[in-house]
Amino acid sequence: MSVPAPAWVVAGPPGAGKTTVADLLLASLEPTPALLDKDTMYGSFVAALLASAHRPAGEREGPWYDEHIKVHEYAGMTATAREIRAHGCPVLLSGPFTGQIHDAQRWQSWVAELGGGTARLVWIRSDEATLRSRLTARGLERDSAKLANFEQFGTSMRLGVEPAAPHVTVDNRLAATVTLEDQVAALVAQA
């Protein structure tokens, strides 16, 4: 069996800046990885499923969502990444991945499900003030439940808790002192 192409995982809470960091990585990496963004892949499907189940349109967290939706989003992303990597193309996955990154054994199992080989975790550090500001500014329906129950949301996202998985941190708090561009350039140079 050949070694799969590398996987990059950009993880952090909604509003942390995953899309911005992913775009910077995609512009810097050679060869350019295939982007698998959770919201792009499943956003409209999730909205339709929530409506058909008579769930709140902004529900994107919690036990019902995790059991009936998130498990399938992540399984689909994982299988797609594994298949792409097996054909020699690197992949960049973008999503919260909170459960996977905060449990070292779960991370190892997930990397195996992704096809094994090299998987680099880029964790986006954020804080409550930054997330509240960004979620409010983007004004998306999918963020309404997060903002309505912000304290619970922050706890579920484990804000300020470093991942248990090996990772590189990108600081994207409003108070960050180094630009995202410089941080991403440094992590690409180290890779």
Side-chain angles (χ1 to χ4, degrees):
M1 180 174 145
S2 65
V3 177
W8 290 80
V9 178
V10 177
K18 294 181 298 296
T19 299
T20 302
V21 171
D23 287 347
L24 290 168
L25 277 169
L26 292 168
S28 302
L29 295 170
E30 288 293 331
T32 305
L35 174 62
L36 300 178
D37 180 280
K38 183 176 89 69
D39 292 332
T40 302
M41 293 176 72
Y42 294 106
S44 63
F45 177 79
V46 168
L49 186 57
L50 289 170
S52 70
H54 307 289
R55 303 294 296 188
E59 183 176 359
R60 295 298 188 279
E61 300 297 329
W64 188 92
Y65 185 87
D66 291 354
E67 180 182 345
H68 296 284
I69 297 177
K70 187 184 291 184
V71 66
H72 301 292
E73 290 175 305
Y74 285 176
M77 291 179 76
T78 300
T80 303
R82 181 177 56 248
E83 187 171 359
I84 292 169
R85 294 176 69 216
H87 292 285
C89 181
V91 172
L92 189 153
L93 296 103
S94 179
F97 302 113
T98 307
Q100 289 85 346
I101 68 173
H102 287 288
D103 179 322
Q105 289 181 326
R106 190 167 174 191
W107 171 260
Q108 290 175 345
S109 294
W110 188 48
V111 169
E113 291 173 27
L114 287 168
T118 301
R120 293 182 176 96
L121 172 58
V122 179
W123 178 62
I124 313 301
R125 172 179 285 139
S126 195
D127 57 24
E128 287 185 14
T130 300
L131 290 182
R132 187 184 303 274
S133 172
R134 291 189 179 138
L135 292 175
T136 301
R138 72 184 187 183
L140 298 174
E141 177 65 28
R142 70 177 189 235
D143 295 329
S144 61
K146 297 174 189 78
L147 290 167
N149 300 299
F150 194 78
E151 187 174 317
Q152 181 182 0
F153 165 68
T155 300
S156 72
M157 289 291 107
R158 301 182 186 185
L159 291 180
V161 178
E162 292 272 334
H167 66 282
V168 174
T169 299
V170 171
D171 187 354
N172 198 23
R173 297 172 295 172
L174 293 172
T177 58
V178 179
T179 67
L180 283 180
E181 292 80 6
D182 288 345
Q183 291 179 70
V184 170
L187 77 88
V188 168
Q190 290 174 353

